[in-house]
């Protein structure tokens, strides 16, 4: 077995400690690129060395063979498989790799340890299994890069986070990234269903000739001719994107869950030898985890942190000659959810409403460079990409008084200011139990217009915004005082 990296050793220590202190349902969060498979092998080997048996559950057929191969490579070979009529079916082996779909239709084998891989893909079957009295003392270990599925906290009693993406980037296990946000989608009228945008509405909003053409043009300008994955909303949208790239004379392919294995391998080969430059696909597929992707074009807006991290994770693998991943974000996802390195959860979701404070974003959001659309970390003034430093040109004096100077940068800055104010008002409203109406009324009072987009991630109010809210409350109290006829 390969030696473990420091963060993997730490993960094992934390896991042992958790089990040692009585937990029986620990969830181990390992970000993409942290070597979850090697860690899984180490957990299995640890159990085997104590003559214990393990059932290792995976949520997709394709993951069964992948796991068998990965374990085999680490020297774990006494493995049976529970999946349809798999050739490795062998009930007496101490390690059983099970497809959950097959397992739920069969007798569950006795085991001393159960591992649930990709545990964010949750099945009610798991919950029923864990709840059986005879399994109460058996450890169930959840593994996931994004264990944020609603309700997971009802089943797991501990969340172990041995490392973060940022740490893995610092250590060179993951590549760093740069983000440009060259365009901003108009998602007016796009409904939200189960926490993410409605697919049909979203497809309608994004799959427009003008927008798909812009994706290609922008890629030519910013893409540095890199090997690129383009993520569309759905299959039709991803195919239209591929067509636009082909029309522009750029070697582009299309892959989805239905692409035959042979064709997929062929595209993979062409992608790696440079004959194919761009691969268009949809975010929900698992292909490409081990492809050498140098640029990601995000043309699929999402509110799902899990989907966002899965997509960007496709490009964060470190590779020779790879300084960073380039992200061209047409979806406002980075502006809405923050950089992937900012997405953190200290707790599993147990289905109860989170305390209001917890929902307010703690990490300040990235800011867009007015000149090159590079997304700067919060509080960075001068653009690290193009060197542009925004100057506050609010107005100039002339004989007639003051004339507003409108620049491109200023329009964008004003839009950003409004968006931020709205986000902060929403954050304030959440903390103080104010209604959406209150937010709208206050926004209107400040800008004399309604917010352009009402979808927003609440933010902690800045001192300015707090001051503004307070001054409004004072003004309101005074006016009421007056109307009641009291002396001012
Ligand atoms: Zn810039």
């Amino acid at each position: 077995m390969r030696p473990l990296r420091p963060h993997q050793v730490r993960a094992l220590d934390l896991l042992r400690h958790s089990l040692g202190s009585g937990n029986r349902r620990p969830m181990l969060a390992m970000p993409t690129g942290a070597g979850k498979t090697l860690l899984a092998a180490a957990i299995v080997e640890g159990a085997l060395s104590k003559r214990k048996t393990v059932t290792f559950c995976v949520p997709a057929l394709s993951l069964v063979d992948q796991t068998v191969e990965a374990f085999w490579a680490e020297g774990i070979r006494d493995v049976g498989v529970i999946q349809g009529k798999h050739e490795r079916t062998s009930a007496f082996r101490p390690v059983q790799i099970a497809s959950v779909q097959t397992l739920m239709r069969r007798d569950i084998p006795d085991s001393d340890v159960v591992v649930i891989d990709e545990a964010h893909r949750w099945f009610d079957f798991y919950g029923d299994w864990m709840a059986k009295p005879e399994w109460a003392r058996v450890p169930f270990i959840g593994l996931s890069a994004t264990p944020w599925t609603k309700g997971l906290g009802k089943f797991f009693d501990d969340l172990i986070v041995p490392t973060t993406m940022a740490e893995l980037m610092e250590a060179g296990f993951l590549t760093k990234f740069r983000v440009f946000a060259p365009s901003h989608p108009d998602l007016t009228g796009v409904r939200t269903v189960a926490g993410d945008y409605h697919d049909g509405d979203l497809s309608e909003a994004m799959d427009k000739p003008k927008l798909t053409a812009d994706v290609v043009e922008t890629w030519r300008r910013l893409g540095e001719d890199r090997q690129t994955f383009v993520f569309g909303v759905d299959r039709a949208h991803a195919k239209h994107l591929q067509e636009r790239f082909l029309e522009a004379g750029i070697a582009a392919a299309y892959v989805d869950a239905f692409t035959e294995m042979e064709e997929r391998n062929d595209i993979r080969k062409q992608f790696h030898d440079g004959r194919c430059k761009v691969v268009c696909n949809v975010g929900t597929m698992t292909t490409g985890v081990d492809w050498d992707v140098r640029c990601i074009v995000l043309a699929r807006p999402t509110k799902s942190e899990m989907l966002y991290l899965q997509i960007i994770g496709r490009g964060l693998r470190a590779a020779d000659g790879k300084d960073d991943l380039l992200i061209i974000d047409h979806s406002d996802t980075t502006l809405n959810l923050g950089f992937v390195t900012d997405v953190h959860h200290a707790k599993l979701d147990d289905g109860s409403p989170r305390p209001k404070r917890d929902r307010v974003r703690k990490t300040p959001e990235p800011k867009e460079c007015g000149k090159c659309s590079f997304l700067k970390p919060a509080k960075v003034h001068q653009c690290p990409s193009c060197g542009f430093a925004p100057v506050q040109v609010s107005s100039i004096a002339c004989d007639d008084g003051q004339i507003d100077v409108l620049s491109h940068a200023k329009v964008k800055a004003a839009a950003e200011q409004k968006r931020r104010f709205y986000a902060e008002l929403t954050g304030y409203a959440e903390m103080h139990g104010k209604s959406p109406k209150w937010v709208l009324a206050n926004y209107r009072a400040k800008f004399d217009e309604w917010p352009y987009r009402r979808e927003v991630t609440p933010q902690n109010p800045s001192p300015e915004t707090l001051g503004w809210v307070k001054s409004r409350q004072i003004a309101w109290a005074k006016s009421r005082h007056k109307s009641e006829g009291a002396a001012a």
Side-chain angles (χ1 to χ4, degrees):
M1 183 148 160
R2 284 176 290 161
L4 296 180
R5 293 162 172 177
H7 61 268
Q8 292 166 329
V9 173
R10 190 158 67 234
L12 277 186
D13 285 346
L14 290 168
L15 180 60
R16 260 185 229 116
H17 186 261
S18 179
L19 291 170
S21 62
N23 293 322
R24 280 293 165 270
R25 307 284 187 257
M27 170 67 76
L28 196 44
M30 292 290 276
T32 314
K36 181 162 69 70
T37 313
L38 180 60
L39 185 71
I43 292 170
V44 170
E45 199 179 66
L48 286 178
S49 71
K50 291 182 205 141
R51 303 195 166 276
K52 290 183 172 171
T53 56
V54 183
T55 300
F56 194 95
C57 306
V58 295
L61 294 187
S62 61
L63 291 173
V64 169
D65 286 329
Q66 213 170 294
T67 308
V68 171
E69 280 166 33
F71 282 6
W72 185 265
E74 302 303 338
I76 300 170
R77 300 181 178 178
D78 207 357
V79 170
V81 165
I82 302 174
Q83 183 227 303
K85 291 179 177 148
H86 199 282
E87 56 179 14
R88 285 187 162 273
T89 303
S90 171
F92 300 106
R93 300 197 179 262
V95 181
Q96 296 291 326
I97 296 174
S99 119
V100 60
Q101 290 86 353
T102 303
L103 195 60
M104 62 175 78
R105 282 184 263 108
R106 294 203 189 154
D107 289 340
I108 296 171
D110 272 341
S111 36
D112 303 312
V113 180
V114 176
V115 180
I116 298 178
D117 195 17
E118 305 287 319
H120 53 274
R121 294 172 69 179
W122 190 248
F123 294 80
D124 292 337
F125 163 76
Y126 288 143
D128 296 343
W129 182 9
M130 287 165 131
K132 289 187 175 138
E134 64 270 33
W135 291 89
R137 298 302 305 159
V138 175
F140 281 67
I141 301 165
L143 293 178
S144 171
T146 52
W148 310 324
T149 312
K150 278 207 176 349
L152 275 189
K154 288 185 206 154
F155 304 103
F156 290 89
D157 53 13
D158 193 17
L159 173 65
I160 301 170
V161 185
T163 186
T164 62
M165 279 183 129
E167 203 175 81
L168 294 169
M169 282 173 196
E170 272 319 307
F173 296 127
L174 287 179
T175 182
K176 298 186 179 179
F177 60 88
R178 284 180 289 141
V179 191
F180 290 90
S183 69
H184 305 280
D186 178 2
L187 301 181
T188 315
V190 175
R191 287 165 291 175
T192 294
V193 180
D196 203 356
Y197 296 112
H198 180 277
D199 275 347
D201 289 356
L202 193 58
S203 183
E204 209 170 296
M206 298 301 290
D207 196 359
K208 292 181 177 143
K210 195 169 169 287
L211 298 183
T212 46
D214 179 53
V215 168
V216 176
E217 270 324 295
T218 310
W219 180 84
R220 279 181 182 277
R221 185 158 54 83
L222 297 172
E224 301 173 6
D225 204 37
R226 290 177 177 222
Q227 300 308 110
T228 300
F229 265 26
V230 178
F231 290 91
V233 175
D234 53 14
R235 302 170 69 207
H237 183 220
K239 277 186 181 159
H240 290 150
L241 287 163
Q242 181 208 12
E243 285 162 18
R244 294 291 98 73
F245 274 100
L246 288 173
E247 282 165 16
I250 296 153
Y254 168 83
V255 175
D256 70 22
F258 301 98
T259 310
E260 295 290 340
M261 188 60 81
E262 203 176 323
E263 190 188 347
R264 191 179 300 189
N265 289 339
D266 198 41
I267 293 171
R268 184 178 195 274
K269 212 166 147 198
Q270 296 191 20
F271 186 74
H272 284 135
D273 68 20
R275 275 178 294 159
C276 167
K277 191 55 79 182
V278 171
V279 172
C280 299
N281 66 150
V282 293
T284 45
M285 59 172 305
T286 51
T287 295
V289 177
D290 57 348
W291 294 33
D292 188 1
V293 179
R294 305 279 171 120
C295 172
I296 282 180
V297 174
L298 197 49
R300 195 253 192 260
T302 181
K303 291 180 167 183
S304 159
E305 292 174 334
M306 291 197 274
L307 181 58
Y308 175 44
L309 263 76
Q310 277 159 29
I311 288 176
I312 302 303
R314 238 57 75 76
L316 291 177
R317 179 170 291 266
D320 286 342
K322 180 173 177 182
D323 291 332
D324 59 18
L325 168 72
L326 185 60
I327 300 168
I328 304 176
D329 184 358
H330 291 269
S331 69
D332 270 0
T333 307
T334 315
L335 284 170
N336 290 333
L337 299 181
F339 293 121
V340 282
T341 39
D342 293 338
V343 180
H344 287 297
H345 292 265
K347 273 173 65 180
L348 295 169
D349 181 298
D350 61 5
S352 63
R354 274 182 277 168
K356 280 174 179 163
R357 263 202 167 276
D358 199 40
R359 262 185 280 158
V360 178
R361 169 172 298 284
K362 286 171 198 83
T363 319
E365 287 170 8
K367 266 204 201 105
E368 182 179 342
C369 169
K371 197 175 166 199
C372 76
S373 76
F374 181 81
L375 293 191
K376 306 179 284 182
K379 293 186 188 138
V380 171
H381 183 64
Q382 187 177 15
C383 175
S385 186
C386 73
F388 174 70
V391 187
Q392 290 293 344
V393 192
S394 54
S395 58
I396 52 168
C398 66
D399 293 348
D400 300 318
Q402 304 228 309
I403 294 174
D404 230 12
V405 180
L406 284 181
S407 67
H408 182 59
K410 199 198 162 199
V411 171
K412 280 202 165 178
E416 166 58 20
Q417 189 205 348
K418 286 180 181 175
R419 192 196 60 76
R420 182 163 288 265
F421 184 73
Y422 185 56
E424 291 180 4
L425 273 185
T426 310
Y428 182 93
E430 283 206 342
M431 281 191 282
H432 298 273
K434 303 280 186 191
S435 68
K437 257 190 192 158
W438 178 91
V439 174
L440 290 175
N442 275 278
Y443 183 94
R444 176 131 203 200
K446 183 163 171 84
F447 295 114
D448 199 26
E449 65 181 29
W450 299 111
Y452 173 57
R453 286 178 52 200
R454 304 211 173 158
E455 296 295 346
V456 75
T457 307
Q459 264 178 269
N460 270 331
S462 65
E464 293 78 54
T465 300
L466 283 175
W468 191 86
V469 170
K470 197 164 183 200
S471 71
R472 279 265 301 170
Q473 284 164 343
I474 291 169
W476 183 76
K478 270 190 184 161
S479 74
R480 200 175 57 161
H481 205 57
K482 234 179 209 170
S483 71
E484 279 167 0

